[in-house]
Short mmCIF file of all heavy atoms in Angstrom, two decimals:
data_model
loop_
_atom_site.label_atom_id
_atom_site.label_comp_id
_atom_site.label_asym_id
_atom_site.label_seq_id
_atom_site.Cartn_x
_atom_site.Cartn_y
_atom_site.Cartn_z
N TYR A 643 0.82 -1.23 -0.03
CA TYR A 643 -0.11 0.02 0.00
C TYR A 643 0.84 1.24 0.05
O TYR A 643 0.55 2.14 -0.68
CB TYR A 643 -0.92 0.07 1.25
CG TYR A 643 -1.81 1.16 1.29
CD1 TYR A 643 -3.00 1.21 0.48
CD2 TYR A 643 -1.54 2.24 2.11
CE1 TYR A 643 -3.82 2.24 0.47
CE2 TYR A 643 -2.35 3.30 2.16
CZ TYR A 643 -3.57 3.35 1.37
OH TYR A 643 -4.38 4.47 1.31
N LEU A 644 1.90 1.32 0.84
CA LEU A 644 2.78 2.53 0.90
C LEU A 644 3.92 2.57 -0.15
O LEU A 644 4.66 3.44 -0.19
CB LEU A 644 3.45 2.54 2.28
CG LEU A 644 2.40 2.79 3.43
CD1 LEU A 644 3.17 2.72 4.79
CD2 LEU A 644 1.56 4.00 3.32
N LYS A 645 4.00 1.37 -0.92
CA LYS A 645 5.12 1.26 -1.82
C LYS A 645 6.54 1.50 -1.22
O LYS A 645 7.21 2.34 -1.85
CB LYS A 645 4.80 2.30 -3.08
CG LYS A 645 3.52 1.92 -3.92
CD LYS A 645 3.34 2.84 -4.98
CE LYS A 645 2.11 2.45 -5.78
NZ LYS A 645 0.84 2.73 -5.39
N GLN A 646 6.74 0.88 -0.17
CA GLN A 646 7.93 0.95 0.56
C GLN A 646 8.42 -0.48 0.86
O GLN A 646 7.85 -1.46 0.68
CB GLN A 646 7.76 1.74 1.82
CG GLN A 646 7.44 3.23 1.60
CD GLN A 646 7.54 3.97 2.87
OE1 GLN A 646 8.28 3.84 3.70
NE2 GLN A 646 6.64 5.01 2.99
N ASP A 647 9.62 -0.52 1.46
CA ASP A 647 10.23 -1.84 1.73
C ASP A 647 10.70 -1.74 3.22
O ASP A 647 11.80 -1.56 3.60
CB ASP A 647 11.51 -2.06 0.91
CG ASP A 647 12.02 -3.48 1.16
OD1 ASP A 647 11.29 -4.32 1.64
OD2 ASP A 647 13.26 -3.63 0.93
N LEU A 648 9.66 -1.62 4.10
CA LEU A 648 9.85 -1.58 5.54
C LEU A 648 9.97 -2.95 6.16
O LEU A 648 9.56 -3.93 5.52
CB LEU A 648 8.63 -0.87 6.04
CG LEU A 648 8.30 0.53 5.60
CD1 LEU A 648 6.92 0.90 5.94
CD2 LEU A 648 9.34 1.53 6.12
N SER A 649 10.59 -3.01 7.30
CA SER A 649 10.62 -4.27 8.08
C SER A 649 10.30 -3.92 9.49
O SER A 649 10.19 -2.86 9.99
CB SER A 649 12.07 -4.76 8.06
OG SER A 649 12.98 -3.85 8.64
N ILE A 650 9.86 -4.99 10.20
CA ILE A 650 9.44 -4.87 11.59
C ILE A 650 10.59 -4.84 12.51
O ILE A 650 11.42 -5.80 12.44
CB ILE A 650 8.39 -5.98 11.95
CG1 ILE A 650 7.20 -6.00 11.10
CG2 ILE A 650 8.03 -5.99 13.41
CD1 ILE A 650 6.23 -7.07 11.31
N ASP A 651 10.63 -3.80 13.32
CA ASP A 651 11.77 -3.77 14.29
C ASP A 651 11.36 -4.34 15.69
O ASP A 651 12.13 -5.08 16.25
CB ASP A 651 12.03 -2.28 14.49
CG ASP A 651 13.30 -2.02 15.50
OD1 ASP A 651 14.19 -2.72 15.39
OD2 ASP A 651 13.07 -1.12 16.30
N ARG A 652 10.15 -4.04 16.12
CA ARG A 652 9.59 -4.60 17.37
C ARG A 652 8.14 -4.91 17.20
O ARG A 652 7.41 -4.20 16.42
CB ARG A 652 9.65 -3.52 18.50
CG ARG A 652 11.09 -2.95 18.69
CD ARG A 652 11.15 -1.92 19.78
NE ARG A 652 10.03 -0.93 19.80
CZ ARG A 652 9.41 -0.42 20.92
NH1 ARG A 652 9.80 -0.85 22.06
NH2 ARG A 652 8.50 0.42 20.83
N ALA A 653 7.52 -5.85 17.97
CA ALA A 653 6.17 -6.17 17.88
C ALA A 653 5.71 -6.76 19.18
O ALA A 653 6.52 -7.59 19.91
CB ALA A 653 5.93 -7.12 16.77
N TRP A 654 4.51 -6.50 19.63
CA TRP A 654 4.09 -6.90 20.94
C TRP A 654 2.52 -6.89 20.98
O TRP A 654 1.85 -6.38 20.03
CB TRP A 654 4.58 -6.11 22.03
CG TRP A 654 4.25 -4.61 21.98
CD1 TRP A 654 3.21 -3.94 22.54
CD2 TRP A 654 4.82 -3.65 21.10
NE1 TRP A 654 3.07 -2.67 22.21
CE2 TRP A 654 4.16 -2.39 21.40
CE3 TRP A 654 5.85 -3.67 20.08
CZ2 TRP A 654 4.48 -1.21 20.66
CZ3 TRP A 654 6.26 -2.44 19.56
CH2 TRP A 654 5.56 -1.20 19.79
N ILE A 655 1.90 -7.55 22.01
CA ILE A 655 0.47 -7.42 22.15
C ILE A 655 0.20 -6.71 23.57
O ILE A 655 1.04 -6.85 24.50
CB ILE A 655 -0.15 -8.85 22.20
CG1 ILE A 655 -0.25 -9.27 20.77
CG2 ILE A 655 -1.64 -8.66 22.79
CD1 ILE A 655 -0.83 -10.66 20.76
N ASN A 656 -0.64 -5.71 23.57
CA ASN A 656 -0.97 -4.98 24.80
C ASN A 656 -2.40 -5.44 25.27
O ASN A 656 -3.22 -5.79 24.39
CB ASN A 656 -1.20 -3.49 24.39
CG ASN A 656 0.14 -2.78 24.16
OD1 ASN A 656 1.14 -2.87 24.93
ND2 ASN A 656 0.11 -2.15 22.98
N TRP A 657 -2.63 -5.35 26.53
CA TRP A 657 -3.83 -5.50 27.16
C TRP A 657 -4.05 -4.37 28.11
O TRP A 657 -3.11 -4.03 28.80
CB TRP A 657 -3.94 -6.86 27.93
CG TRP A 657 -5.24 -6.90 28.70
CD1 TRP A 657 -6.49 -7.46 28.41
CD2 TRP A 657 -5.39 -6.48 30.08
NE1 TRP A 657 -7.36 -7.22 29.33
CE2 TRP A 657 -6.72 -6.67 30.53
CE3 TRP A 657 -4.54 -5.91 31.02
CZ2 TRP A 657 -7.27 -6.31 31.72
CZ3 TRP A 657 -5.04 -5.62 32.27
CH2 TRP A 657 -6.28 -5.84 32.56
N THR A 658 -5.30 -3.82 28.17
CA THR A 658 -5.64 -2.84 29.09
C THR A 658 -7.23 -3.07 29.44
O THR A 658 -7.92 -3.71 28.55
CB THR A 658 -5.42 -1.45 28.64
OG1 THR A 658 -5.72 -0.54 29.76
CG2 THR A 658 -6.19 -0.97 27.49
N ASP A 659 -7.56 -2.53 30.53
CA ASP A 659 -9.04 -2.57 30.91
C ASP A 659 -9.66 -1.23 30.71
O ASP A 659 -10.76 -1.01 31.26
CB ASP A 659 -9.21 -3.14 32.25
CG ASP A 659 -8.57 -2.36 33.36
OD1 ASP A 659 -8.06 -1.23 33.09
OD2 ASP A 659 -8.78 -2.69 34.51
N GLY A 660 -8.99 -0.21 30.22
CA GLY A 660 -9.60 1.10 29.97
C GLY A 660 -9.54 2.00 31.34
O GLY A 660 -10.15 3.01 31.29
N ASP A 661 -8.72 1.55 32.25
CA ASP A 661 -8.73 2.41 33.50
C ASP A 661 -8.19 3.78 33.28
O ASP A 661 -7.16 4.11 32.68
CB ASP A 661 -7.77 1.65 34.50
CG ASP A 661 -7.73 2.29 35.91
OD1 ASP A 661 -8.35 3.44 36.03
OD2 ASP A 661 -7.15 1.59 36.79
N LYS A 662 -9.03 4.75 33.68
CA LYS A 662 -8.70 6.27 33.52
C LYS A 662 -7.40 6.70 34.13
O LYS A 662 -6.81 7.60 33.86
CB LYS A 662 -9.83 7.14 33.94
CG LYS A 662 -11.05 7.05 33.04
CD LYS A 662 -11.91 8.10 33.52
CE LYS A 662 -12.22 9.08 32.31
NZ LYS A 662 -13.16 10.06 32.47
N GLN A 663 -7.02 5.93 35.25
CA GLN A 663 -5.76 6.24 35.92
C GLN A 663 -4.52 5.84 35.21
O GLN A 663 -3.41 6.04 35.62
CB GLN A 663 -5.82 5.64 37.41
CG GLN A 663 -6.97 6.17 38.18
CD GLN A 663 -7.00 5.42 39.54
OE1 GLN A 663 -5.97 5.04 40.04
NE2 GLN A 663 -8.28 5.23 40.04
N HIS A 664 -4.71 5.13 34.12
CA HIS A 664 -3.54 4.47 33.46
C HIS A 664 -3.15 5.12 32.11
O HIS A 664 -2.60 4.37 31.27
CB HIS A 664 -3.73 3.06 33.29
CG HIS A 664 -3.68 2.23 34.59
ND1 HIS A 664 -4.24 0.97 34.76
CD2 HIS A 664 -3.07 2.53 35.82
CE1 HIS A 664 -4.01 0.66 35.98
NE2 HIS A 664 -3.36 1.63 36.65
N GLU A 665 -3.41 6.39 31.98
CA GLU A 665 -2.86 7.06 30.77
C GLU A 665 -1.37 7.00 30.73
O GLU A 665 -0.72 7.36 31.65
CB GLU A 665 -3.43 8.45 30.63
CG GLU A 665 -4.81 8.52 30.18
CD GLU A 665 -5.21 10.03 29.99
OE1 GLU A 665 -5.24 10.78 30.95
OE2 GLU A 665 -5.62 10.42 28.82
N CYS A 666 -0.90 6.69 29.57
CA CYS A 666 0.54 6.61 29.39
C CYS A 666 0.89 7.16 27.94
O CYS A 666 1.04 6.40 27.02
CB CYS A 666 1.03 5.16 29.60
SG CYS A 666 2.82 4.89 29.39
N TRP A 667 1.16 8.46 27.92
CA TRP A 667 1.46 9.12 26.75
C TRP A 667 2.88 8.70 26.30
O TRP A 667 3.85 8.71 27.07
CB TRP A 667 1.36 10.59 26.80
CG TRP A 667 -0.09 10.98 26.96
CD1 TRP A 667 -0.74 11.16 28.15
CD2 TRP A 667 -1.01 11.24 25.91
NE1 TRP A 667 -2.04 11.45 27.77
CE2 TRP A 667 -2.29 11.66 26.49
CE3 TRP A 667 -0.92 11.25 24.49
CZ2 TRP A 667 -3.32 11.91 25.73
CZ3 TRP A 667 -1.98 11.48 23.70
CH2 TRP A 667 -3.22 11.84 24.34
N HIS A 668 3.03 8.38 24.96
CA HIS A 668 4.40 7.91 24.44
C HIS A 668 4.48 8.00 22.94
O HIS A 668 3.61 8.34 22.36
CB HIS A 668 4.74 6.46 24.97
CG HIS A 668 3.69 5.49 24.42
ND1 HIS A 668 2.38 5.37 24.87
CD2 HIS A 668 3.72 4.71 23.37
CE1 HIS A 668 1.74 4.43 24.14
NE2 HIS A 668 2.52 4.03 23.14
N THR A 669 5.62 7.86 22.55
CA THR A 669 6.01 7.80 21.02
C THR A 669 6.74 6.46 20.87
O THR A 669 7.17 5.85 21.84
CB THR A 669 6.83 8.97 20.57
OG1 THR A 669 8.11 8.92 21.08
CG2 THR A 669 6.22 10.35 20.84
N HIS A 670 7.08 6.28 19.52
CA HIS A 670 7.72 5.07 19.24
C HIS A 670 9.01 5.40 18.50
O HIS A 670 9.48 4.51 17.66
CB HIS A 670 6.88 4.00 18.52
CG HIS A 670 5.83 3.41 19.30
ND1 HIS A 670 5.86 2.12 19.78
CD2 HIS A 670 4.61 3.91 19.73
CE1 HIS A 670 4.71 2.00 20.54
NE2 HIS A 670 4.07 3.05 20.36
N THR A 671 9.65 6.48 18.70
CA THR A 671 10.89 6.82 17.95
C THR A 671 12.00 5.96 18.54
O THR A 671 11.94 5.49 19.72
CB THR A 671 11.30 8.38 18.27
OG1 THR A 671 11.24 8.64 19.60
CG2 THR A 671 10.20 9.18 17.59
N PRO A 672 12.92 5.55 17.82
CA PRO A 672 13.25 6.10 16.46
C PRO A 672 12.73 5.44 15.27
O PRO A 672 13.15 5.55 14.18
CB PRO A 672 14.86 5.99 16.41
CG PRO A 672 15.01 4.71 17.16
CD PRO A 672 13.92 4.68 18.25
N ALA A 673 11.68 4.62 15.42
CA ALA A 673 11.04 3.80 14.26
C ALA A 673 10.36 4.92 13.31
O ALA A 673 10.26 5.97 13.71
CB ALA A 673 9.92 2.91 14.84
N LYS A 674 10.27 4.48 12.16
CA LYS A 674 9.77 5.39 11.08
C LYS A 674 8.24 5.39 11.21
O LYS A 674 7.61 6.51 11.12
CB LYS A 674 10.15 4.90 9.73
CG LYS A 674 9.70 5.77 8.53
CD LYS A 674 10.17 5.23 7.26
CE LYS A 674 9.70 6.12 6.05
NZ LYS A 674 10.30 5.70 4.84
N LEU A 675 7.51 4.28 11.27
CA LEU A 675 6.13 4.11 11.37
C LEU A 675 5.78 3.11 12.37
O LEU A 675 6.51 2.25 12.84
CB LEU A 675 5.43 3.70 10.02
CG LEU A 675 5.59 4.56 8.80
CD1 LEU A 675 5.19 3.80 7.50
CD2 LEU A 675 4.84 5.86 9.07
N SER A 676 4.59 3.35 12.95
CA SER A 676 4.10 2.38 14.02
C SER A 676 2.71 1.89 13.56
O SER A 676 1.97 2.68 12.84
CB SER A 676 4.01 3.04 15.41
OG SER A 676 5.21 3.34 15.77
N ALA A 677 2.31 0.69 13.96
CA ALA A 677 0.91 0.19 13.48
C ALA A 677 0.33 -0.47 14.80
O ALA A 677 0.96 -1.05 15.58
CB ALA A 677 1.20 -0.80 12.46
N VAL A 678 -0.98 -0.38 14.72
CA VAL A 678 -1.79 -1.04 15.78
C VAL A 678 -3.01 -1.85 15.14
O VAL A 678 -3.73 -1.25 14.25
CB VAL A 678 -2.41 -0.01 16.69
CG1 VAL A 678 -3.27 -0.61 17.78
CG2 VAL A 678 -1.37 0.80 17.19
N TYR A 679 -3.00 -3.08 15.42
CA TYR A 679 -4.10 -3.93 15.06
C TYR A 679 -5.07 -4.17 16.17
O TYR A 679 -4.63 -4.56 17.24
CB TYR A 679 -3.56 -5.30 14.52
CG TYR A 679 -4.61 -6.34 14.27
CD1 TYR A 679 -5.59 -6.18 13.30
CD2 TYR A 679 -4.58 -7.47 14.98
CE1 TYR A 679 -6.53 -7.10 13.03
CE2 TYR A 679 -5.55 -8.47 14.84
CZ TYR A 679 -6.54 -8.23 13.80
OH TYR A 679 -7.44 -9.24 13.55
N TYR A 680 -6.36 -3.86 16.00
CA TYR A 680 -7.32 -3.95 17.07
C TYR A 680 -8.03 -5.20 17.11
O TYR A 680 -8.78 -5.58 16.14
CB TYR A 680 -8.28 -2.69 16.80
CG TYR A 680 -7.61 -1.37 16.81
CD1 TYR A 680 -7.05 -0.88 15.66
CD2 TYR A 680 -7.42 -0.79 17.98
CE1 TYR A 680 -6.48 0.30 15.58
CE2 TYR A 680 -6.69 0.47 18.03
CZ TYR A 680 -6.18 0.97 16.79
OH TYR A 680 -5.55 2.11 16.94
N MET A 681 -7.81 -5.97 18.13
CA MET A 681 -8.17 -7.35 18.24
C MET A 681 -9.48 -7.57 18.92
O MET A 681 -10.07 -8.62 18.92
CB MET A 681 -7.07 -8.10 19.00
CG MET A 681 -5.76 -8.04 18.27
SD MET A 681 -4.32 -8.81 19.28
CE MET A 681 -4.73 -10.52 19.17
N THR A 682 -9.91 -6.56 19.69
CA THR A 682 -11.24 -6.69 20.43
C THR A 682 -12.05 -5.52 20.01
O THR A 682 -11.56 -4.48 19.63
CB THR A 682 -10.98 -6.68 21.88
OG1 THR A 682 -10.18 -5.63 22.27
CG2 THR A 682 -10.42 -8.03 22.40
N PRO A 683 -13.34 -5.69 20.15
CA PRO A 683 -14.28 -4.52 19.80
C PRO A 683 -14.48 -3.49 20.67
O PRO A 683 -15.19 -2.51 20.37
CB PRO A 683 -15.69 -5.32 19.56
CG PRO A 683 -15.57 -6.45 20.53
CD PRO A 683 -14.08 -6.80 20.56
N TYR A 684 -13.76 -3.45 21.80
CA TYR A 684 -14.00 -2.39 22.76
C TYR A 684 -13.02 -1.23 22.58
O TYR A 684 -11.86 -1.40 22.60
CB TYR A 684 -13.82 -3.01 24.22
CG TYR A 684 -14.66 -4.24 24.26
CD1 TYR A 684 -14.07 -5.48 24.40
CD2 TYR A 684 -16.06 -4.19 24.38
CE1 TYR A 684 -14.88 -6.57 24.47
CE2 TYR A 684 -16.73 -5.27 24.53
CZ TYR A 684 -16.17 -6.51 24.51
OH TYR A 684 -16.89 -7.68 24.70
N ASN A 685 -13.66 -0.03 22.48
CA ASN A 685 -12.80 1.24 22.39
C ASN A 685 -11.75 1.19 21.37
O ASN A 685 -10.68 1.47 21.64
CB ASN A 685 -12.33 1.61 23.76
CG ASN A 685 -12.33 3.04 23.99
OD1 ASN A 685 -12.64 3.90 23.13
ND2 ASN A 685 -12.04 3.51 25.28
N CYS A 686 -12.16 0.67 20.22
CA CYS A 686 -11.17 0.61 19.12
C CYS A 686 -10.72 1.97 18.65
O CYS A 686 -11.55 2.90 18.43
CB CYS A 686 -11.73 -0.13 17.90
SG CYS A 686 -11.93 -1.92 18.12
N GLY A 687 -9.41 2.06 18.63
CA GLY A 687 -8.91 3.45 18.18
C GLY A 687 -7.67 3.85 19.04
O GLY A 687 -7.32 3.12 20.04
N THR A 688 -7.06 4.91 18.76
CA THR A 688 -5.91 5.49 19.59
C THR A 688 -6.18 6.87 19.74
O THR A 688 -6.57 7.66 18.84
CB THR A 688 -4.66 5.19 18.77
OG1 THR A 688 -4.56 3.77 18.52
CG2 THR A 688 -3.42 5.80 19.42
N GLN A 689 -5.93 7.35 20.89
CA GLN A 689 -5.90 8.79 21.41
C GLN A 689 -4.59 9.46 21.03
O GLN A 689 -3.51 9.06 21.55
CB GLN A 689 -6.15 8.86 22.89
CG GLN A 689 -6.39 10.28 23.34
CD GLN A 689 -7.53 10.93 22.70
OE1 GLN A 689 -8.70 10.48 22.86
NE2 GLN A 689 -7.32 12.16 22.19
#
């Protein structure tokens, strides 16, 4: 889709229960792009 030759540097699965006390703002530098695959139907998306 992007017409690039990217490779995966790191990959993981996250779990959260939506707790308001657990906001954790962050970036993923020095990577070029980051991707998120939404595995459950609850609160799909990223803030």
Side-chain angles (χ1 to χ4, degrees):
Y643 182 79
L644 296 178
K645 296 179 174 77
Q646 294 191 35
D647 187 23
L648 300 164
S649 61
I650 296 176
D651 183 43
R652 307 179 315 142
W654 61 98
I655 289 178
N656 289 305
W657 170 88
T658 184
D659 65 358
D661 189 346
K662 285 188 123 176
Q663 298 176 33
H664 288 157
E665 279 186 297
C666 183
W667 290 93
H668 61 282
T669 66
H670 291 257
T671 55
K674 182 176 183 177
L675 296 171
S676 294
V678 180
Y679 168 63
Y680 300 90
M681 301 171 73
T682 50
Y684 309 106
N685 216 351
C686 285
T688 297
Q689 180 67 53

